[in-house]
Amino acid sequence: MIPKNHPRYESLILRDKVKNAFIEGYLADTGMIAHGRGETFDYLIGEETVDSAYKAIEAAVALILLADNSVLSVNGNVTALAIDEIIELARETDSQIEINLFYRTEKRVDKIAELFKDHGYDNILGTNDDDLYYFDKINNPRATASLRGIYIADVILVPLEDGDRAELLKNAGKKIICIDLNPLSRTSEMSDISIVDNVVRAIPLMSKIAHEYKNKDKRFLENIVENFNNEENLKKSLNSFKIQKL
Ligand code: PTJ
């Protein structure tokens, strides 16, 4: 039990969620290592949504709302940290949700699908019964895509994606939006829009902005996307890292 008045309460709660998800069997063991790495970057940006991340979030929401088929990809870490928030974002943006695991096992996929069901979302894609295709004919679990989801999607949100898979999706002609606290990761570098923020802050903020943007006209959204430069924005994100005591 973590006392509410602990100065690092929020951070410890997230750690607990990740640990429990591992014990429940749906978070990869290395997902805990990835979380630790994320914690470090988060600390250095002050555990807040910096201006450049906010700009990227606005552009990301505009791009998703302009898409013909948008998919929100989920893995073990996103399920553990932001299951209700990602369901809300799917509803606000009319996107589909697809399970997409780096360390894919039938057991983990079933558990994640069951959790989404328990949280009121029945139509998750990428399950063991789904029609899964392989990009570039690479018969590798990392290359799976649902025929009704990622395979035909034009815009994909990949929170916490590994670089190889991001590259695979990019080469398949998709527009990629990532949420990754590391602005230097291959995923951040190769995405069309890189949100350098924690998924626990970025995803709810995306829903809030989507709620506001979804009644705007197409030109408004296109303007936001056209005026966004990912390379420049990533440099700004990098500049917001500093050594400070929280
Ligand atoms: O559930 P699976 O099988 O798909 O596996 C998921 C992991 C995360 C283990 C897998 O995708 C992986 O190994 O990822 P990487 O290559 O370690 O990359 C994770 C990236 O996410 C790193 O750059 C971390 O800094 C970043 N990160 C970690 N936690 C968060 C985060 N970014 C945003 N929000 C977080 N909470």
Side-chain angles (χ1 to χ4, degrees):
M1 180 76 178
I2 303 158
K4 277 215 157 106
N5 61 353
H6 192 288
R8 304 289 304 143
Y9 179 76
E10 301 290 339
S11 175
L12 292 176
I13 287 289
L14 298 186
R15 235 181 228 196
D16 226 40
K17 285 186 177 172
V18 165
K19 183 199 73 184
N20 290 337
F22 173 70
I23 293 169
E24 284 175 46
Y26 69 89
L27 187 118
D29 47 8
T30 51
M32 291 194 284
I33 299 170
H35 182 77
R37 184 152 47 150
E39 269 186 355
T40 312
F41 285 115
D42 206 13
Y43 198 95
L44 294 174
I45 57 168
E47 293 175 347
E48 61 179 17
T49 302
V50 296
D51 287 350
S52 53
Y54 195 88
K55 280 265 165 297
I57 286 173
E58 288 177 323
V61 171
L63 188 65
I64 293 174
L65 291 173
L66 285 167
D68 291 324
N69 290 299
S70 50
V71 173
L72 316 180
S73 163
V74 293
N75 62 10
N77 290 55
V78 176
T79 305
L81 294 174
I83 186 165
D84 291 322
E85 292 77 2
I86 202 98
I87 293 172
E88 171 73 8
L89 182 60
R91 294 198 171 125
E92 285 291 357
T93 58
D94 206 9
S95 300
Q96 303 200 78
I97 302 179
E98 179 165 339
I99 302 171
N100 151 31
L101 301 183
F102 186 75
Y103 301 103
R104 189 179 172 99
T105 65
E106 282 197 13
K107 193 176 149 240
R108 290 186 63 212
V109 172
D110 282 346
K111 182 74 198 162
I112 291 172
E114 187 190 313
L115 277 168
F116 271 86
K117 236 186 186 151
D118 291 348
H119 285 250
Y121 190 85
D122 292 330
N123 306 319
I124 198 146
L125 300 172
T127 60
N128 293 318
D129 317 321
D130 201 352
D131 274 336
L132 295 180
Y133 271 53
Y134 295 88
F135 284 114
D136 296 338
K137 302 195 172 41
I138 304 173
N139 202 344
N140 175 317
R142 281 185 305 159
T144 57
S146 165
L147 192 55
R148 295 174 293 143
I150 287 181
Y151 200 77
I152 55 155
D154 48 348
V155 175
I156 307 172
L157 173 74
V158 288
L160 271 106
E161 184 60 280
D162 106 286
D164 265 14
R165 175 144 175 127
E167 189 170 10
L168 203 79
L169 297 174
K170 180 90 182 160
N171 291 342
K174 317 290 184 187
K175 291 259 185 230
I176 307 297
I177 301 163
C178 74
I179 307 176
D180 190 333
L181 279 159
N182 180 2
L184 299 170
S185 72
R186 275 202 311 130
T187 305
S188 290
E189 278 177 357
M190 79 181 30
S191 293
D192 296 278
I193 299 177
S194 310
I195 302 168
V196 180
D197 199 8
N198 197 318
V199 294
V200 301
R201 291 188 301 271
I203 296 173
L205 198 49
M206 288 177 82
S207 291
K208 190 167 163 257
I209 292 173
H211 191 73
E212 184 192 325
Y213 281 7
K214 66 183 179 189
N215 298 318
K216 304 272 187 194
D217 62 30
K218 204 172 163 204
R219 198 59 219 134
F220 171 90
L221 300 174
E222 283 169 348
N223 255 326
I224 294 176
V225 175
E226 281 160 20
N227 289 323
F228 181 79
N229 179 322
N230 202 44
E231 211 179 316
E232 271 176 23
N233 203 61
L234 267 177
K235 282 188 196 142
K236 288 185 188 151
S237 294
L238 196 54
N239 285 337
S240 50
F241 281 74
K242 45 194 174 290
I243 303 289
Q244 63 196 336
K245 176 119 180 68
L246 291 182

PDB file of all heavy atoms in Angstrom, residues 160-177:
ATOM      1  N   LEU A 160       4.453   3.504 -27.303  1.00  0.00           N
ATOM      2  CA  LEU A 160       5.493   2.552 -26.858  1.00  0.00           C
ATOM      3  C   LEU A 160       5.816   1.468 -27.882  1.00  0.00           C
ATOM      4  O   LEU A 160       5.785   0.287 -27.584  1.00  0.00           O
ATOM      5  CB  LEU A 160       5.045   1.828 -25.591  1.00  0.00           C
ATOM      6  CG  LEU A 160       5.370   2.455 -24.259  1.00  0.00           C
ATOM      7  CD1 LEU A 160       4.140   3.046 -23.638  1.00  0.00           C
ATOM      8  CD2 LEU A 160       5.932   1.417 -23.334  1.00  0.00           C
ATOM      9  N   GLU A 161       6.145   1.866 -29.059  1.00  0.00           N
ATOM     10  CA  GLU A 161       6.440   0.877 -30.110  1.00  0.00           C
ATOM     11  C   GLU A 161       7.941   0.636 -30.208  1.00  0.00           C
ATOM     12  O   GLU A 161       8.738   1.511 -29.888  1.00  0.00           O
ATOM     13  CB  GLU A 161       5.903   1.428 -31.443  1.00  0.00           C
ATOM     14  CG  GLU A 161       6.035   0.510 -32.624  1.00  0.00           C
ATOM     15  CD  GLU A 161       5.309  -0.811 -32.437  1.00  0.00           C
ATOM     16  OE1 GLU A 161       5.861  -1.694 -31.754  1.00  0.00           O
ATOM     17  OE2 GLU A 161       4.210  -0.961 -32.973  1.00  0.00           O
ATOM     18  N   ASP A 162       8.317  -0.540 -30.671  1.00  0.00           N
ATOM     19  CA  ASP A 162       9.747  -0.752 -30.893  1.00  0.00           C
ATOM     20  C   ASP A 162      10.089  -0.294 -32.313  1.00  0.00           C
ATOM     21  O   ASP A 162       9.228  -0.247 -33.193  1.00  0.00           O
ATOM     22  CB  ASP A 162      10.090  -2.229 -30.621  1.00  0.00           C
ATOM     23  CG  ASP A 162      10.344  -2.989 -31.896  1.00  0.00           C
ATOM     24  OD1 ASP A 162       9.357  -3.281 -32.594  1.00  0.00           O
ATOM     25  OD2 ASP A 162      11.511  -3.247 -32.185  1.00  0.00           O
ATOM     26  N   GLY A 163      11.347   0.083 -32.518  1.00  0.00           N
ATOM     27  CA  GLY A 163      11.762   0.721 -33.766  1.00  0.00           C
ATOM     28  C   GLY A 163      11.557  -0.129 -35.010  1.00  0.00           C
ATOM     29  O   GLY A 163      11.139   0.367 -36.058  1.00  0.00           O
ATOM     30  N   ASP A 164      11.818  -1.441 -34.898  1.00  0.00           N
ATOM     31  CA  ASP A 164      11.685  -2.335 -36.049  1.00  0.00           C
ATOM     32  C   ASP A 164      10.279  -2.346 -36.596  1.00  0.00           C
ATOM     33  O   ASP A 164      10.048  -2.285 -37.789  1.00  0.00           O
ATOM     34  CB  ASP A 164      11.967  -3.777 -35.597  1.00  0.00           C
ATOM     35  CG  ASP A 164      13.402  -4.138 -35.847  1.00  0.00           C
ATOM     36  OD1 ASP A 164      14.190  -3.219 -36.104  1.00  0.00           O
ATOM     37  OD2 ASP A 164      13.714  -5.349 -35.762  1.00  0.00           O
ATOM     38  N   ARG A 165       9.374  -2.447 -35.670  1.00  0.00           N
ATOM     39  CA  ARG A 165       7.978  -2.552 -36.090  1.00  0.00           C
ATOM     40  C   ARG A 165       7.480  -1.217 -36.653  1.00  0.00           C
ATOM     41  O   ARG A 165       6.735  -1.184 -37.625  1.00  0.00           O
ATOM     42  CB  ARG A 165       7.139  -3.011 -34.909  1.00  0.00           C
ATOM     43  CG  ARG A 165       5.697  -3.004 -35.259  1.00  0.00           C
ATOM     44  CD  ARG A 165       4.891  -4.089 -34.654  1.00  0.00           C
ATOM     45  NE  ARG A 165       3.533  -3.827 -35.022  1.00  0.00           N
ATOM     46  CZ  ARG A 165       2.734  -4.697 -35.602  1.00  0.00           C
ATOM     47  NH1 ARG A 165       3.131  -5.895 -35.836  1.00  0.00           N
ATOM     48  NH2 ARG A 165       1.512  -4.365 -35.927  1.00  0.00           N
ATOM     49  N   ALA A 166       7.911  -0.126 -36.045  1.00  0.00           N
ATOM     50  CA  ALA A 166       7.526   1.188 -36.563  1.00  0.00           C
ATOM     51  C   ALA A 166       8.018   1.317 -38.014  1.00  0.00           C
ATOM     52  O   ALA A 166       7.290   1.795 -38.889  1.00  0.00           O
ATOM     53  CB  ALA A 166       8.110   2.293 -35.697  1.00  0.00           C
ATOM     54  N   GLU A 167       9.222   0.822 -38.245  1.00  0.00           N
ATOM     55  CA  GLU A 167       9.798   0.894 -39.590  1.00  0.00           C
ATOM     56  C   GLU A 167       8.990   0.043 -40.579  1.00  0.00           C
ATOM     57  O   GLU A 167       8.715   0.464 -41.700  1.00  0.00           O
ATOM     58  CB  GLU A 167      11.251   0.398 -39.535  1.00  0.00           C
ATOM     59  CG  GLU A 167      12.003   0.634 -40.808  1.00  0.00           C
ATOM     60  CD  GLU A 167      13.497   0.352 -40.659  1.00  0.00           C
ATOM     61  OE1 GLU A 167      13.923  -0.205 -39.625  1.00  0.00           O
ATOM     62  OE2 GLU A 167      14.217   0.703 -41.591  1.00  0.00           O
ATOM     63  N   LEU A 168       8.593  -1.124 -40.102  1.00  0.00           N
ATOM     64  CA  LEU A 168       7.790  -2.031 -40.920  1.00  0.00           C
ATOM     65  C   LEU A 168       6.480  -1.358 -41.352  1.00  0.00           C
ATOM     66  O   LEU A 168       6.076  -1.414 -42.518  1.00  0.00           O
ATOM     67  CB  LEU A 168       7.475  -3.243 -40.042  1.00  0.00           C
ATOM     68  CG  LEU A 168       7.131  -4.548 -40.668  1.00  0.00           C
ATOM     69  CD1 LEU A 168       8.415  -5.224 -41.124  1.00  0.00           C
ATOM     70  CD2 LEU A 168       6.463  -5.438 -39.614  1.00  0.00           C
ATOM     71  N   LEU A 169       5.837  -0.707 -40.399  1.00  0.00           N
ATOM     72  CA  LEU A 169       4.558  -0.055 -40.684  1.00  0.00           C
ATOM     73  C   LEU A 169       4.757   1.135 -41.625  1.00  0.00           C
ATOM     74  O   LEU A 169       3.966   1.359 -42.534  1.00  0.00           O
ATOM     75  CB  LEU A 169       3.885   0.411 -39.382  1.00  0.00           C
ATOM     76  CG  LEU A 169       3.500  -0.695 -38.403  1.00  0.00           C
ATOM     77  CD1 LEU A 169       2.980  -0.101 -37.096  1.00  0.00           C
ATOM     78  CD2 LEU A 169       2.432  -1.612 -39.004  1.00  0.00           C
ATOM     79  N   LYS A 170       5.822   1.856 -41.381  1.00  0.00           N
ATOM     80  CA  LYS A 170       6.135   3.030 -42.203  1.00  0.00           C
ATOM     81  C   LYS A 170       6.392   2.585 -43.648  1.00  0.00           C
ATOM     82  O   LYS A 170       5.874   3.172 -44.600  1.00  0.00           O
ATOM     83  CB  LYS A 170       7.376   3.705 -41.592  1.00  0.00           C
ATOM     84  CG  LYS A 170       7.843   4.901 -42.282  1.00  0.00           C
ATOM     85  CD  LYS A 170       7.182   6.131 -41.741  1.00  0.00           C
ATOM     86  CE  LYS A 170       7.687   7.313 -42.554  1.00  0.00           C
ATOM     87  NZ  LYS A 170       6.850   8.431 -42.477  1.00  0.00           N
ATOM     88  N   ASN A 171       7.174   1.494 -43.790  1.00  0.00           N
ATOM     89  CA  ASN A 171       7.471   0.986 -45.131  1.00  0.00           C
ATOM     90  C   ASN A 171       6.227   0.446 -45.826  1.00  0.00           C
ATOM     91  O   ASN A 171       6.200   0.331 -47.041  1.00  0.00           O
ATOM     92  CB  ASN A 171       8.548  -0.112 -45.083  1.00  0.00           C
ATOM     93  CG  ASN A 171       9.893   0.469 -44.710  1.00  0.00           C
ATOM     94  OD1 ASN A 171      10.093   1.681 -44.818  1.00  0.00           O
ATOM     95  ND2 ASN A 171      10.810  -0.372 -44.249  1.00  0.00           N
ATOM     96  N   ALA A 172       5.219   0.098 -45.038  1.00  0.00           N
ATOM     97  CA  ALA A 172       3.972  -0.384 -45.625  1.00  0.00           C
ATOM     98  C   ALA A 172       3.082   0.809 -46.030  1.00  0.00           C
ATOM     99  O   ALA A 172       1.929   0.626 -46.407  1.00  0.00           O
ATOM    100  CB  ALA A 172       3.245  -1.285 -44.636  1.00  0.00           C
ATOM    101  N   GLY A 173       3.618   2.020 -45.919  1.00  0.00           N
ATOM    102  CA  GLY A 173       2.906   3.202 -46.419  1.00  0.00           C
ATOM    103  C   GLY A 173       1.963   3.848 -45.417  1.00  0.00           C
ATOM    104  O   GLY A 173       1.126   4.674 -45.782  1.00  0.00           O
ATOM    105  N   LYS A 174       2.091   3.472 -44.156  1.00  0.00           N
ATOM    106  CA  LYS A 174       1.191   4.042 -43.146  1.00  0.00           C
ATOM    107  C   LYS A 174       1.744   5.352 -42.598  1.00  0.00           C
ATOM    108  O   LYS A 174       2.955   5.536 -42.544  1.00  0.00           O
ATOM    109  CB  LYS A 174       1.041   3.083 -41.948  1.00  0.00           C
ATOM    110  CG  LYS A 174       0.879   1.635 -42.295  1.00  0.00           C
ATOM    111  CD  LYS A 174      -0.446   1.356 -42.911  1.00  0.00           C
ATOM    112  CE  LYS A 174      -0.648  -0.127 -43.173  1.00  0.00           C
ATOM    113  NZ  LYS A 174      -1.874  -0.377 -43.922  1.00  0.00           N
ATOM    114  N   LYS A 175       0.860   6.224 -42.144  1.00  0.00           N
ATOM    115  CA  LYS A 175       1.278   7.395 -41.363  1.00  0.00           C
ATOM    116  C   LYS A 175       1.347   6.942 -39.910  1.00  0.00           C
ATOM    117  O   LYS A 175       0.386   6.353 -39.385  1.00  0.00           O
ATOM    118  CB  LYS A 175       0.241   8.520 -41.477  1.00  0.00           C
ATOM    119  CG  LYS A 175       0.190   9.130 -42.862  1.00  0.00           C
ATOM    120  CD  LYS A 175       0.941  10.437 -42.870  1.00  0.00           C
ATOM    121  CE  LYS A 175       0.794  11.128 -44.196  1.00  0.00           C
ATOM    122  NZ  LYS A 175       2.021  11.562 -44.802  1.00  0.00           N
ATOM    123  N   ILE A 176       2.476   7.210 -39.288  1.00  0.00           N
ATOM    124  CA  ILE A 176       2.695   6.715 -37.926  1.00  0.00           C
ATOM    125  C   ILE A 176       2.749   7.864 -36.924  1.00  0.00           C
ATOM    126  O   ILE A 176       3.479   8.836 -37.113  1.00  0.00           O
ATOM    127  CB  ILE A 176       4.041   5.941 -37.835  1.00  0.00           C
ATOM    128  CG1 ILE A 176       4.130   4.847 -38.905  1.00  0.00           C
ATOM    129  CG2 ILE A 176       4.245   5.353 -36.444  1.00  0.00           C
ATOM    130  CD1 ILE A 176       3.094   3.780 -38.767  1.00  0.00           C
ATOM    131  N   ILE A 177       1.987   7.698 -35.849  1.00  0.00           N
ATOM    132  CA  ILE A 177       2.056   8.632 -34.715  1.00  0.00           C
ATOM    133  C   ILE A 177       2.575   7.812 -33.541  1.00  0.00           C
ATOM    134  O   ILE A 177       1.993   6.760 -33.219  1.00  0.00           O
ATOM    135  CB  ILE A 177       0.660   9.175 -34.361  1.00  0.00           C
ATOM    136  CG1 ILE A 177       0.039   9.905 -35.549  1.00  0.00           C
ATOM    137  CG2 ILE A 177       0.725  10.077 -33.126  1.00  0.00           C
ATOM    138  CD1 ILE A 177      -1.467  10.107 -35.419  1.00  0.00           C
TER     139      ILE A 177
END
